[in-house]
Amino acid sequence: MDFLTLIQIFDSTIRLATPLLLACLAGLYSERAGIFDIGLEGKMLMSAFFSAAVAAVTGSVWLGLLAGIASSLLLAGLHGLASITFRGNQLISGVAINFLAAGMTVLIAQDWFQQGGRTPSLFGGARFEPIDWPFAEALSGVPVVGPIYSELLSGHSVLVYIAFLAVPATWWVLYRTRFGLRLRAVGENPAAVDTAGVSVVGLRYAAVAICGVLCGIAGAYLATALQAGFVKDMTAGRGFIALAALIFAKWRPWHAMWACLLFGLLQAVALRFQNIDLGGVVIPVQAMDALPYILTVVILAGFVGKAIPPKAGGEPYVKER
Amino acid sequence: EPALIFDLGGKFDKSFNEAAHNGAQRWANETGGTYREIELQSEAQREQALRRFAEAGANPVITMGFAMADPLSAVAPDYPDTKFVAVDVTWLDAPNVRQIGFAEHEGSYLVGMLAAMASKTGTVGFIGGMDIPLIRHFGCGYAQGAKAVNPDIKIVANMTGTTPAAWNDPVKGSELTKAQISQGADVIYAAAGGTGVGVLQTAADEGILSIGVDSNQNHLHPGKVLTSMLKRVDVAVYDAMKAGENLETGVFTLGLAEDGVGYALDEHNAPLITDEMKAAVDEARQKIIDGELEVVSYYENDSCPALQF
Amino acid sequence: MTVPAIELKGISKSFGPVQANKNISISVAPGTIHGIIGENGAGKSTLMSILYGFYKADAGEIWINGEKTEIPDSQAAIAAGIGMVFQHFKLVENFTVLENIVLGAEDGGLLAPSLAKARKELEDLEEEYELFVDPDKRIDEIGVGMQQRVEILKALYRKAEILILDEPTGVLTPAEADQLFRILHRLKEEGKTIILITHKLREIMEATDTVSVMRRGEMTATVKTSETSPEQLAELMVGRKVLLRVDKAPAKPGKPILEIENLRVTDEAGVERVKGIDLTVRAGEIVGIAGVAGNGQSELLEVLGGMRPATGSIRLNGESLPLSGPGADGQARRARHIAHVPEDRQREGLIMEFHAWENVAFGYHRDPAYQRGIFMDNAALRADTERKIEKFDVRPADAWLAAKNFSGGNQQKIVVAREIERNPDLLLVGQPTRGVDIGAIEFIHKQIVALRDQGKAILLVSVELEEIFSLSDRIAVMFDGHIMGERLPHETDERELGLLMAGVAGEAA
Amino acid sequence: MDKMPKWADVVLIPLISLILAAILSALVILGIGEDPVAAVKLMVSGALGSTYGWGYTLYYATNFVFTGLAVAVAFHARLFNIGGEGQAMLGGLGVAMVCLYVPWPHWSIALLAAMAAAMVFGAAWAAIPAYLQAKRGSHIVITTIMFNFIAAAFLNYMLVNVMRPEGSMDPATERFPEAVHLPTLHELLAPIGISFSKAAPANVSFLVAILACFVVWALIWRTRLGYEIRAYGHSETGALYAGISPVRITIVTMLISGALAGLMAINNVMGEAERLVLNSTEGAGFIGIAVALMGRSHPFGVFLAALLFGFLYQGGAELALWTSIPRELIVVIQALVILFTGALDNMVRMPLEKLFLSLRKGSA
Ligand SMILES: Nc1ncnc2c1ncn2[C@@H]1O[C@H](COP(=O)(O)OP(=O)(O)OP(=O)(O)O)[C@@H](O)[C@H]1O
Ligand SMILES: Nc1ncnc2c1ncn2[C@@H]1O[C@H](COP(=O)(O)OP(=O)(O)OP(=O)(O)O)[C@@H](O)[C@H]1O
Ligand SMILES: [Mg+2]
Ligand SMILES: [Mg+2]
């Protein structure tokens, strides 16, 4: 395998990892605060639709992004209402949100655009364009460093950089700020936060809201940066992979990034080496397709060990029985 | 009143269900008629929809997709007075079923030729949704056409996945496109439903050519889509609805000769198709119609002479 | 007369159909220590949680320093100068001490300056009250005594003038408890007001100025400590006369039941917790193991109960007992007639969500007596439970109640009933009366002694020296995984045991 | 000492929640310009108004009972088995092999063999995640998600490359022989004089599903193993104290769960399709999660929730047949039902509890 192929695989890895990473960090905020969220998929999907729809109508991708985030926030609010205010089952609420998004997006899309549950294709300012770093063109000829700079680092959409900046930002918020301390505490022992005079409900809603914003960005990235429009079910299970990555990362920001990059890499490799010919034996495409999942299990079993979720996770905070 | 049963992909699958929908709409608009329709959600609904429509007096009942063959064989004998239309089914022994098959391999052969002629790198790509025989059938015709133009051509073929999500994952379609581009492909044929949207998009973004499928997708990225392999499901549905209860039953295979399949040429891709290209393709088309040239169907013996899956 | 620091007027509180507090009024003078006693479930914790804004009262008023104060949440309580150390600590286990202390009392959005400031202030507080803790240790790395200091420091860091302590000594060693009371006195001298909930009358008598008694949600009496006696308080609490000392005949030890040789235990983290001990328990005797929590007693008990592997040799009735592998789990131990009252009833001894009758089978669910064909004989189980509930006076006498809905004392009675009624050859008992009211303590002690009198061997682990003294026929002291020495209760005293527990070896053991 | 009479908890709250979901669904239907009253009528009469409707409702419910029970059993041990989908796929493979490759004299023997195969295949697919969870601590949620994907790929390979009859377009096995045809409810009820719709796919598997509910109920609440599963689920330290091996319980529970999910195949593969098709599970494994959660992991609750979902599926099919309501609307209705009856039930319960408490105080 030559160096350029490697660069391309890594480039592909970054693109595939970005939506996972955003969703994974979204889940991290929510679950660190004690609210399990299997509705990442639904929030992403909702945002994918609304960002594309609004971008298509207004011609502005930024308005699209805002709309995507708003729609995702709405679902996050619903999840909060169910699991924080009404102390409902967080898993059920997440399942419901996934269904709701899958249905509503197509219904509304068909109602608005009559294009078979899709949005019109986005052009020009309605799409996030790749950002070329300074001198990317000029440096591309330099050996080794050139391709890394101009192919791998440069030329992604702004949302990719936001996603990767969100990792140190999340780490900083979580471990270096008052909000982060309280957030982690409320996921471990809400009673401690409560008796320390901090509102458990407020904190959890804040966490769920951040989760909504990040899922919103993830969805907008899919529909307006990677693609140029919405197609039904276009998240294709990425919310669940993000959830797996979150557990893989044991709910830590840097680890989350590595986990998402790993998943992205495995997929990129599998996509690139379908039907490779190993001295006459053709590996069936299905085996290649399953490879990322098999490797995930192997890595998980071999190296990762036990993942212990935030202690108060999944349980509503009830003072009075 | 006719009835139309879409396959699980749903009527907006950007593929052949959508073509059926368009044909039905055309009929409705032209004649002012109405029709019933259902988008199946589960396997069990296949038989259910057939029976319900037949019992309600719908005639003809038009079904989409090879998977309807099995339920049709069970239901059709129970309603001898109802005419059924089965698109993509040709092997049933039922007197009241009009079975329509398309020679997709012939159409794919032509677009394969165009791809090979348009390719500067000598590598063309094929992206399928899921690894099922139908998709191999498309890919196989395509490969034969490409090889006919350039025996040394390299054909990169990929499938998107193994779950139903494979038909609706444009992001993966994009990545596969990029992967194929890096392997040298500069024309890529997508037979992957909603995933194909991503293939065409990325091809356009990256400045290579793509080939649409089923309906004419040239307009999606004018000047960037080389052509589309047309499968005139819309015509088949339109004709069936127009014929109504007096529908002729039997097995019909719609190939190049019947204009059931073909390649799309319109203002969006006219600049891309040179006169030599057009001449070469039209010649091949005529030869196939005349039987001078045989395009091997993947179904014949579950293998393809030009491409290994 | 001075204005009371705290005045509660007509406080009522229901949890659904349960009325935990009924029209309670109480007044506490500033600069005093006020005790509150009462049976398990009397409503003490509830009342204090209302004062701290953790629960909201259904009715009633709170007056602080002569001013009517609304306390809708803990924030308001903290603002009113109230601090509370809960019965079950409210600490974040995987945070450091320092992080726990600043949590909720940070200044500014950034953590670093808050932590730096807290670290400094903490040093001052530690100096002032001799409350030393390592600010950088994680809570799950320090013992309960330390954890409690953290709770107190948390309150002091928030400038509490009124400090509520809910059963603070339940988990402390005698030395730690003494230390705590010294601190409380110092706080009192500084003019702070303290409310102390405890089940230990000795502590009430020694530390408090006034004491209130609660029964079934009502405040039944408030008296000056100097004008009352433990016996009177006990009677006020329980409504009948209570024996405050265990009455028992001298032991008649028989043949050795349990013989431990060179037992070594290494925990999950690879630390050796028991470092080669030898111990024998005979039929008809109670051997008490004294020691500061964390010196290997728990591990010893867990090995005997089949909860963790070990090396060395143990014989039961002369036959060896496997120490690891499949024959060494709790089921195998029970098959060998070892019964086990675990140290932590809520995490180990009971399934809190199970009904009482299901818990009565816990560990013995494979007993043939509870089976009918391939099914469990639930009817037999329930009948058995009714019997045990009656015999052990479990209240409420409801076999269908979930374990979590019993008070701590009654939960413990269920566990003790289950284990003692097996009529085991060897009974392992860990902290049998932690957090249990005096009525129940009296009862549980009596049962243990009765079992001994039937000629059974009993190994008791307790951090309560008082309990060790009153129950044991022989006392072994553990320190750092070793047995420092064995003593007979009437030949030793608390001072000597205290020294042994601190690792100061006595004359040849 | 409950806050509310039990009937209110069991009947009133779900009922009010359903009504709320229905009201919201009606608003959505209005929003897309259709008539909600007619839609509800159509759904109810279509799903429950005839033996034909019941036949489909029960057919779907049967699938969901199996996958719901699978999730529920695992839940009792606090294991979140998201792998029902993959396990049911493998169960289908087992059924197909038994039905295709062995000549059976009578359906009843074939059914027993198919059940055994479905359970073994389903359990086998759960075994690796179970082992990894028990021994290596690998989180079962991740591994079961991954195994769903692997199962899909495996089945795709088997159907396209191995089991597909030569020259067939359909990535499916050939039809099972007539001898393994399972009697439908029509065939079962005809001898006792009840005429049940001939067209509907509900079959003898429904009875197996009911039986499975009872077996699971007995297993969980009447056997030692069930006792141990529940105890372990509530408290791992407690289990250790009682001598209940976490490794054993984890593995055994997951095997049972996988076997139940696999068992679904006797309904959809053997009973309905009578051949194995690609994606035959159609997401029933995931619906099982919702069913188990809504049924509070109790077999009876699972049964009711499965019926509810069967109703939604069949009612939705009727809507799709006779109106131009897009099928996504049905997904939305399902979402609202899950949301209100499953996640927002406290929204109804809290005020009701207050009401009952004040009623009680008033009368006391
Ligand atoms: N990949 C990484 N890159 C840089 N720093 C890291 C990385 N992983 C962990 N860290 C450092 O580890 C510290 C704590 O991270 P980690 O997520 O491991 O927390 P923990 O204390 O083990 O558990 P918890 O997060 O639950 O409190 C952070 O302050 C961070 O500096
Ligand atoms: N959060 C709660 N929800 C419902 N009921 C509760 C709650 N907390 C306490 N109770 C009930 O209220 C009553 C009083 O409980 P409380 O904890 O105040 O008793 P206590 O006097 O502190 O007992 P103990 O000595 O065991 O600590 C008990 O019947 C208890 O079961
Ligand atoms: Mg208390
Ligand atoms: Mg207590």
Side-chain angles (χ1 to χ4, degrees):
Chain A
M1 191 181 347
D2 62 292
F3 180 68
L4 261 180
T5 313
L6 212 59
I7 290 287
Q8 278 157 358
I9 289 178
F10 287 148
D11 197 35
S12 169
T13 301
I14 288 177
R15 285 190 301 268
L16 287 168
T18 298
L20 295 182
L21 179 57
L22 284 164
C24 188
L25 291 176
L28 189 141
Y29 278 100
S30 184
E31 302 209 345
R32 270 295 176 117
I35 304 293
F36 282 173
D37 192 354
I38 55 177
L40 299 174
E41 176 91 359
K43 289 200 273 282
M44 266 203 283
L45 191 62
M46 201 63 132
S47 160
F49 168 68
F50 274 99
S51 59
V54 170
V57 171
T58 64
S60 159
V61 69
W62 292 102
L63 286 179
L65 178 65
L66 280 184
I69 291 175
S71 65
S72 168
L73 263 175
L74 197 72
L75 287 185
L78 186 63
H79 189 51
L81 190 72
S83 52
I84 304 170
T85 304
F86 289 116
R87 302 173 201 157
N89 185 309
Q90 298 167 10
L91 296 175
I92 305 187
S93 167
V95 170
I97 282 170
N98 288 338
F99 274 71
L100 198 62
M104 287 304 275
T105 47
V106 180
L107 274 191
I108 302 175
Q110 185 53 18
D111 199 46
W112 287 4
F113 302 108
Q114 269 95 39
Q115 293 198 7
R118 288 186 303 275
T119 61
S121 290
L122 307 176
F123 296 102
R127 254 184 107 185
F128 281 107
E129 295 293 341
I131 297 177
D132 283 315
W133 286 16
F135 317 116
E137 202 62 36
L139 283 172
S140 64
V142 182
V144 184
V145 185
I148 291 182
Y149 182 81
S150 57
E151 300 268 327
L152 196 56
L153 298 180
S154 162
H156 294 284
S157 90
V158 62
L159 297 185
V160 172
Y161 303 114
I162 289 179
F164 282 88
L165 285 177
V167 177
T170 299
W171 172 84
W172 184 80
V173 167
L174 225 48
Y175 294 105
R176 289 290 178 270
T177 68
R178 169 176 67 187
F179 175 70
L181 183 77
R182 294 177 172 187
L183 188 89
R184 282 181 291 139
V186 82
E188 290 291 333
N189 187 353
V193 175
D194 192 5
T195 54
V198 184
S199 161
V200 172
V201 169
L203 268 176
R204 289 193 159 169
Y205 266 107
V208 166
I210 296 176
C211 170
V213 171
L214 288 170
C215 279
I217 300 177
Y221 175 72
L222 287 177
T224 62
L226 272 186
Q227 294 301 311
F230 171 83
V231 178
K232 71 166 180 176
D233 291 337
M234 72 185 296
T235 43
R238 288 184 174 78
F240 294 100
I241 301 291
L243 212 58
L246 181 59
I247 301 172
F248 214 118
K250 301 184 181 173
W251 294 269
R252 297 164 184 188
W254 286 104
H255 295 68
M257 183 184 82
W258 296 121
C260 290
L261 283 173
L262 175 71
F263 284 1
L265 178 70
L266 291 176
Q267 273 189 14
V269 169
L271 287 179
R272 216 151 280 240
F273 296 107
Q274 270 189 13
N275 293 347
I276 42 170
D277 194 343
L278 285 181
V281 188
V282 176
I283 301 176
V285 50
Q286 291 88 352
M288 238 20 226
D289 192 64
L291 191 68
Y293 309 113
I294 296 172
L295 284 180
T296 301
V297 173
V298 170
I299 293 168
L300 192 67
F303 308 102
V304 175
K306 197 161 182 165
I308 297 161
K311 221 183 258 157
E315 292 294 325
Y317 177 52
V318 193
K319 285 204 269 193
E320 310 187 9
R321 270 176 258 130
Chain B
E1 195 182 29
L4 178 55
I5 301 177
F6 296 105
D7 205 349
L8 290 172
K11 69 178 168 192
F12 300 127
D13 65 348
K14 199 95 197 164
S15 179
F16 89 126
N17 285 306
E18 200 161 329
H21 172 67
N22 293 337
Q25 283 293 318
R26 193 174 121 216
W27 174 81
N29 290 339
E30 280 180 13
T31 64
T34 58
Y35 62 95
R36 296 198 173 281
E37 61 171 23
I38 178 173
E39 297 175 82
L40 295 182
Q41 277 179 303
S42 75
E43 295 286 340
Q45 282 176 5
R46 295 186 189 282
E47 195 174 325
Q48 178 181 22
L50 283 172
R51 286 190 190 280
R52 294 292 271 166
F53 280 147
E55 268 161 26
N59 202 357
V61 178
I62 304 166
T63 72
M64 303 298 301
F66 56 78
M68 290 304 288
D70 193 66
L72 259 178
S73 66
V75 174
D78 292 352
Y79 303 94
D81 297 335
T82 303
K83 300 269 175 62
F84 294 91
V85 179
V87 175
D88 270 4
V89 176
T90 52
W91 56 91
L92 289 182
D93 180 22
N96 57 336
V97 180
R98 177 186 176 100
Q99 307 179 45
I100 304 171
F102 288 90
E104 295 98 346
H105 54 302
E106 295 178 1
S108 296
Y109 183 91
L110 298 189
V111 299
M113 286 180 68
L114 286 171
M117 288 185 280
S119 171
K120 298 189 175 63
T121 58
T123 302
V124 295
F126 174 78
I127 293 176
M130 202 189 272
D131 184 22
I132 56 174
L134 177 68
I135 295 302
R136 290 184 176 188
H137 182 62
F138 277 79
C140 183
Y142 176 71
Q144 290 175 61
K147 287 239 161 112
V149 170
N150 174 5
D152 298 327
I153 200 158
K154 191 174 144 206
I155 300 156
V156 192
N158 288 137
M159 300 293 177
T160 310
T162 52
T163 59
W167 302 107
N168 285 306
D169 195 343
V171 172
K172 227 167 169 181
S174 282
E175 287 305 322
L176 279 169
T177 307
K178 286 190 169 152
Q180 294 198 344
I181 292 172
S182 72
Q183 287 163 274
D186 61 352
V187 185
I188 298 176
Y189 178 27
T195 301
V197 174
V199 176
L200 268 54
Q201 178 73 45
T202 304
D205 289 350
E206 299 283 322
I208 66 151
L209 295 171
S210 57
I211 298 174
V213 76
D214 287 342
S215 49
N216 187 344
Q217 296 179 319
N218 294 358
H219 66 281
L220 286 179
H221 304 279
K224 308 273 179 66
V225 180
L226 177 62
T227 182
S228 297
M229 200 290 279
L230 299 176
K231 177 173 171 184
R232 302 310 300 264
V233 175
D234 51 342
V235 177
V237 170
Y238 174 84
D239 288 345
M241 285 193 168
K242 204 165 168 194
E245 301 178 10
N246 310 319
L247 190 77
E248 197 185 335
T249 58
V251 178
F252 298 83
T253 301
L254 307 182
L256 290 173
E258 298 80 10
D259 267 337
V261 295
Y263 72 98
L265 184 59
D266 59 14
E267 74 271 22
H268 300 300
N269 69 336
L272 298 171
I273 310 274
T274 62
D275 290 340
E276 303 95 88
M277 285 162 80
K278 187 168 162 18
V281 176
D282 286 344
E283 189 197 325
R285 176 171 177 274
Q286 198 52 49
K287 275 189 182 163
I288 296 171
I289 293 173
D290 297 342
E292 286 171 42
L293 179 67
E294 199 210 350
V295 184
V296 179
S297 163
Y298 178 83
Y299 298 126
E300 260 164 45
N301 44 9
D302 279 343
S303 69
C304 181
L307 186 62
Q308 202 177 5
F309 289 99
Chain C
M1 199 189 143
T2 50
V3 185
I6 308 160
E7 211 178 353
L8 302 180
K9 297 182 179 172
I11 300 281
S12 291
K13 171 75 187 171
S14 300
F15 295 109
V18 178
Q19 190 154 26
N21 287 161
K22 291 176 207 160
N23 192 21
I24 290 184
S25 299
I26 177 181
S27 148
V28 179
T32 61
I33 301 184
H34 186 99
I36 297 185
I37 57 172
E39 286 179 292
N40 293 124
K44 309 177 292 289
S45 300
T46 304
L47 185 65
M48 290 304 114
S49 298
I50 288 169
L51 179 53
Y52 190 63
F54 190 63
Y55 294 146
K56 247 173 92 77
D58 301 335
E61 292 175 0
I62 300 173
W63 293 63
I64 304 293
N65 297 324
E67 273 176 51
K68 183 163 184 270
T69 313
E70 292 296 333
I71 306 190
D73 53 29
S74 302
Q75 181 114 51
I78 294 167
I82 303 173
M84 177 155 173
V85 178
F86 283 84
Q87 188 173 351
H88 300 285
F89 300 149
K90 309 285 185 203
L91 296 171
V92 182
E93 297 237 317
N94 60 356
F95 277 20
T96 63
V97 168
L98 198 60
E99 286 171 330
N100 267 290
I101 284 172
V102 298
L103 178 66
E106 310 90 344
D107 14 31
L110 290 186
L111 219 46
S114 299
L115 289 174
K117 176 166 165 271
R119 191 182 294 275
K120 253 186 69 57
E121 259 183 62
L122 204 58
E123 276 169 22
D124 298 342
L125 282 175
E126 287 183 1
E127 281 302 317
E128 195 177 345
Y129 299 107
E130 294 179 25
L131 271 165
F132 296 106
V133 288
D134 180 348
D136 296 316
K137 273 251 179 341
R138 277 167 42 144
I139 296 298
D140 51 16
E141 295 170 347
I142 60 178
V144 276
M146 279 292 174
Q147 292 180 4
Q148 185 175 61
R149 290 186 187 181
V150 177
E151 285 282 22
I152 296 173
L153 283 168
K154 238 166 94 177
L156 295 178
Y157 184 71
R158 286 162 172 74
K159 309 269 181 287
E161 286 302 313
I162 298 167
L163 189 62
I164 308 165
L165 297 123
D166 192 351
E167 294 188 39
T169 58
V171 290
L172 298 189
T173 60
E176 284 172 331
D178 286 348
Q179 157 95 20
L180 173 68
F181 285 110
R182 276 202 300 281
I183 294 164
L184 294 186
H185 274 290
R186 185 172 310 209
L187 289 168
K188 174 178 144 179
E189 278 159 23
E190 288 190 355
K192 298 198 193 310
T193 310
I194 293 164
I195 297 186
L196 175 71
I197 300 178
T198 180
H199 289 296
K200 296 174 187 165
L201 296 177
R202 194 182 72 171
E203 291 170 358
I204 293 286
M205 299 310 294
E206 282 174 7
T208 64
D209 301 299
T210 46
V211 52
S212 297
V213 183
M214 287 188 71
R215 260 194 89 191
R216 313 222 167 138
E218 283 170 289
M219 193 63 86
T220 49
T222 299
V223 292
K224 278 208 160 55
T225 311
S226 52
E227 295 167 5
T228 185
S229 66
E231 287 75 16
Q232 188 196 358
L233 286 177
E235 203 176 328
L236 277 171
M237 235 169 97
V238 186
R240 63 177 164 88
K241 283 232 182 306
V242 181
L243 267 177
L244 291 177
R245 199 144 283 112
V246 186
D247 237 357
K248 65 181 209 291
K252 300 185 205 68
K255 66 172 173 57
I257 300 286
L258 177 72
E259 294 160 281
I260 301 175
E261 273 168 36
N262 191 27
L263 186 78
R264 291 176 183 275
V265 184
T266 306
D267 70 8
E268 298 78 16
V271 181
E272 197 174 31
R273 307 309 295 259
V274 176
K275 302 174 175 169
I277 63 170
D278 303 307
L279 185 73
T280 300
V281 186
R282 296 169 177 281
E285 76 168 345
I286 300 175
V287 174
I289 306 233
V292 177
N295 278 287
Q297 320 90 303
S298 305
E299 285 78 9
L300 170 63
L301 216 54
E302 285 171 7
V303 165
L304 290 169
M307 294 173 70
R308 57 168 76 237
T311 60
S313 114
I314 298 181
R315 277 190 305 280
L316 187 77
N317 288 319
E319 280 173 47
S320 97
L321 208 60
L323 291 180
S324 62
D329 66 2
Q331 288 295 311
R333 290 294 193 270
R334 285 173 181 81
R336 296 285 297 271
H337 304 286
I338 298 176
H340 181 186
V341 176
E343 291 188 310
D344 189 332
R345 56 181 170 255
Q346 301 202 342
R347 275 165 47 82
E348 296 165 351
L350 295 168
I351 299 294
M352 300 305 280
E353 288 79 8
F354 275 13
H355 302 299
W357 63 266
E358 289 175 300
N359 270 303
V360 161
F362 194 46
Y364 302 99
H365 50 277
R366 291 189 170 270
D367 183 339
Y370 295 148
Q371 316 298 325
R372 203 174 49 196
I374 59 168
F375 296 120
M376 289 183 79
D377 189 349
N378 290 347
L381 245 174
R382 282 194 282 270
D384 190 33
T385 305
E386 303 285 354
R387 223 170 23 248
K388 285 178 177 146
I389 283 181
E390 160 125 31
K391 179 165 175 197
F392 280 75
D393 190 27
V394 177
R395 273 177 294 176
D398 182 355
W400 281 97
L401 208 60
K404 65 179 175 199
N405 291 332
F406 285 95
S407 70
N410 285 298
Q411 289 171 355
Q412 188 69 1
K413 281 188 197 170
I414 295 175
V415 177
V416 171
R418 177 181 73 211
E419 301 300 324
I420 286 188
E421 289 292 290
R422 301 305 299 186
N423 205 12
D425 292 347
L426 171 67
L427 178 68
L428 310 168
V429 195
Q431 321 294 355
T433 57
R434 180 178 276 175
V436 171
D437 70 44
I438 52 170
I441 291 178
E442 177 199 22
F443 183 83
I444 289 169
H445 282 182
K446 266 191 192 162
Q447 299 302 320
I448 293 174
V449 171
L451 192 70
R452 176 203 75 165
D453 291 343
Q454 289 171 39
K456 307 296 180 175
I458 290 157
L459 183 67
L460 165 76
V461 168
S462 175
V463 294
E464 302 274 351
L465 268 189
E466 210 175 325
E467 181 163 72
I468 291 280
F469 265 108
S470 59
L471 279 180
S472 311
D473 301 312
R474 191 149 54 88
I475 301 172
V477 183
M478 270 187 86
F479 172 76
D480 192 27
H482 297 284
I483 289 193
M484 298 300 292
E486 288 185 13
R487 296 288 184 275
L488 295 177
H490 53 271
E491 287 174 359
T492 183
D493 55 22
E494 288 201 13
R495 198 195 57 84
E496 190 193 12
L497 286 191
L499 283 176
L500 286 172
M501 283 163 66
V504 184
E507 56 277 29
Chain D
M1 303 277 270
D2 288 322
K3 295 178 182 172
M4 257 195 316
K6 196 151 179 137
W7 64 267
D9 205 28
V10 177
V11 180
L12 204 55
I13 290 177
L15 204 68
I16 298 176
S17 300
L18 271 179
I19 291 171
L20 286 177
I23 292 173
L24 236 71
S25 304
L27 290 180
V28 177
I29 297 175
L30 271 181
I32 60 167
E34 299 276 340
D35 175 4
V37 179
V40 170
K41 271 192 190 152
L42 200 54
M43 281 183 80
V44 173
S45 70
L48 310 174
S50 62
T51 59
Y52 156 82
W54 274 103
Y56 272 94
T57 301
L58 294 183
Y59 164 74
Y60 292 118
T62 307
N63 284 342
F64 304 146
V65 166
F66 286 123
T67 52
L69 286 178
V71 177
V73 166
F75 250 141
H76 279 289
R78 288 296 175 279
L79 294 165
F80 192 17
N81 179 13
I82 310 199
E85 189 77 5
Q87 290 144 18
M89 273 183 213
L90 265 284
L93 194 61
V95 167
M97 286 181 162
V98 161
C99 291
L100 284 173
Y101 302 144
V102 185
W104 296 102
H106 191 257
W107 66 265
S108 54
I109 311 170
L111 177 61
L112 290 179
M115 283 171 64
M119 289 166 71
V120 167
F121 274 63
W125 206 246
I128 301 171
Y131 176 84
L132 293 177
Q133 167 81 60
K135 288 286 193 186
R136 310 275 325 167
S138 314
H139 207 290
I140 201 136
V141 167
I142 312 184
T143 48
T144 49
I145 289 179
M146 299 297 146
F147 265 69
N148 283 338
F149 287 108
I150 300 172
F154 181 53
L155 204 67
N156 186 294
Y157 177 80
M158 290 300 286
L159 286 179
V160 172
N161 296 325
V162 183
M163 299 177 82
R164 176 169 57 100
E166 227 164 275
S168 160
M169 281 179 95
D170 214 350
T173 67
E174 58 193 317
R175 227 170 217 281
F176 301 157
E178 196 52 36
V180 305
H181 166 80
L182 292 184
T184 60
L185 288 191
H186 166 78
E187 289 156 301
L188 284 176
L189 294 176
I192 52 172
I194 302 173
S195 88
F196 199 89
S197 165
K198 215 166 123 180
N203 59 76
V204 66
S205 306
F206 175 64
L207 304 181
V208 180
I210 294 179
L211 193 70
C213 285
F214 278 106
V215 170
V216 168
W217 172 80
L219 170 81
I220 296 293
W221 277 282
R222 285 293 179 274
T223 68
R224 295 182 294 264
L225 179 62
Y227 183 96
E228 294 186 341
I229 289 173
R230 285 183 296 132
Y232 171 73
H234 285 305
S235 163
E236 207 172 327
T237 49
L240 198 61
Y241 159 79
I244 298 167
S245 155
V247 171
R248 182 177 147 263
I249 292 295
T250 301
I251 291 180
V252 170
T253 307
M254 279 305 288
L255 290 182
I256 295 172
S257 173
L260 282 165
L263 204 49
M264 176 188 127
I266 60 164
N267 188 46
N268 67 335
V269 176
M270 193 174 180
E272 199 272 330
E274 310 201 2
R275 62 192 186 131
L276 181 61
V277 301
L278 208 56
N279 185 34
S280 59
T281 47
E282 299 174 313
F286 297 112
I287 299 285
I289 298 172
V291 166
L293 289 167
M294 284 175 61
R296 300 291 184 263
S297 295
H298 191 290
F300 187 63
V302 166
F303 183 77
L304 288 183
L307 271 186
L308 177 62
F309 272 85
F311 162 77
L312 288 176
Y313 262 59
Q314 167 55 12
E318 288 291 311
L319 268 193
L321 275 166
W322 308 123
T323 69
S324 58
I325 288 177
R327 62 177 178 179
E328 280 74 19
L329 180 76
I330 294 143
V331 178
V332 171
I333 296 177
Q334 282 170 9
L336 291 171
V337 169
I338 299 175
L339 191 67
F340 279 93
T341 60
L344 284 172
D345 53 342
N346 276 337
M347 192 168 77
V348 178
R349 181 172 288 113
M350 286 173 178
L352 265 188
E353 273 178 0
K354 281 213 184 87
L355 184 73
F356 274 101
L357 218 54
S358 66
L359 278 181
R360 187 178 317 185
K361 281 210 179 103
S363 66

